Amino acid sequence: MADHPSTHKPSHDLVDHIVGLRPGGRTYEVRHQREKVVAATQGSYDALFDPHLPDLSLTERLLVALHACVLTPAPELAAHYRARLVTDGCDAALIQFAESAAHETASSNARLNAMLTFTRTLIEDPVEGDKAALLALPAAGISTPAVVALSQLIAFLSYQVRLVAGLKAMKASEEEETHA
């Protein structure tokens, strides 16, 4: 049985906000037909970016998210993660480094270099996310639980980026029909 969209709404839904979905719109209503999925998506975001999550700092997770969104590209999500980093007082040089798609200059932070390289590998060529790619992470001082958390984060970001892209396309189609 599908949840009724108006029975329960999260107080803040990042995807709805990023895409600009509002109650009453066809794309909003389609998305909210399965409220459990909407809630799980927001819940995953909340859990993955919980400041108290161990193994990876919030700043590291936000830098990985920014980097993944720049590589994809997903400009609205990149802007969101950039704004969170700025609000949290992240060093501007680290933000600029994460925004760099080229990585000509490596950061002096081997841990961050390894995380962003792994992110790039999984975003651009997931087949290359093999044993060698994984072993580069502990070599940079990243614990096994942190490697697992990083992999989960990148998988979520990949889902989030695709969800936003699909909803943006649906909303654009809806708006074209409205203006036709």
Side-chain angles (χ1 to χ4, degrees), residues 95-173:
I95 294 171
Q96 186 174 22
F97 179 66
E99 288 180 315
S100 168
H103 278 282
E104 285 94 17
T105 358
S107 164
S108 61
N109 183 331
R111 180 178 163 99
L112 181 60
N113 282 337
M115 284 190 275
L116 296 186
T117 298
F118 187 66
T119 302
R120 172 186 283 285
T121 299
L122 292 185
I123 295 294
E124 292 184 343
D125 195 2
V127 172
E128 294 299 316
D130 58 6
K131 185 176 180 180
L134 281 169
L135 291 177
L137 296 168
I142 301 169
S143 69
T144 300
V147 170
V148 171
L150 177 62
S151 298
Q152 290 172 331
L153 174 62
I154 296 166
F156 171 77
L157 292 164
S158 191
Y159 160 74
Q160 184 186 48
V161 161
R162 284 164 179 74
L163 175 62
V164 166
L167 290 169
K168 281 175 52 183
M170 288 174 64
K171 185 177 180 224
S173 174

Side-chain angles (χ1 to χ4, degrees), residues 12-177:
H12 173 75
D13 183 84
L14 177 63
V15 171
D16 283 352
H17 173 75
I18 294 288
V19 178
L21 299 181
R22 304 279 180 268
R26 186 177 71 216
T27 303
Y28 177 93
E29 297 303 327
V30 167
R31 177 166 192 250
H32 285 267
Q33 283 178 355
R34 294 290 310 254
E35 195 62 46
K36 289 178 186 179
V37 176
V38 172
T41 298
Q42 184 61 39
S44 294
Y45 170 85
D46 293 340
L48 287 165
F49 293 100
D50 178 345
H52 300 92
L53 191 67
D55 304 317
L56 295 174
S57 73
L58 178 58
T59 297
E60 289 172 330
R61 286 177 273 140
L62 290 168
L63 288 166
V64 164
L66 174 59
H67 189 61
C69 292
V70 166
L71 292 172
T72 302
E76 297 88 354
L77 284 167
H80 166 76
Y81 290 117
R82 182 182 312 103
R84 284 209 52 193
L85 284 160
V86 169
T87 299
D88 289 353
C90 182
D91 181 85
L94 286 177
I95 294 171
Q96 186 174 22
F97 179 66
E99 288 180 315
S100 168
H103 278 282
E104 285 94 17
T105 358
S107 164
S108 61
N109 183 331
R111 180 178 163 99
L112 181 60
N113 282 337
M115 284 190 275
L116 296 186
T117 298
F118 187 66
T119 302
R120 172 186 283 285
T121 299
L122 292 185
I123 295 294
E124 292 184 343
D125 195 2
V127 172
E128 294 299 316
D130 58 6
K131 185 176 180 180
L134 281 169
L135 291 177
L137 296 168
I142 301 169
S143 69
T144 300
V147 170
V148 171
L150 177 62
S151 298
Q152 290 172 331
L153 174 62
I154 296 166
F156 171 77
L157 292 164
S158 191
Y159 160 74
Q160 184 186 48
V161 161
R162 284 164 179 74
L163 175 62
V164 166
L167 290 169
K168 281 175 52 183
M170 288 174 64
K171 185 177 180 224
S173 174
E174 178 183 344
E175 290 170 352
E176 284 176 14
E177 290 174 13

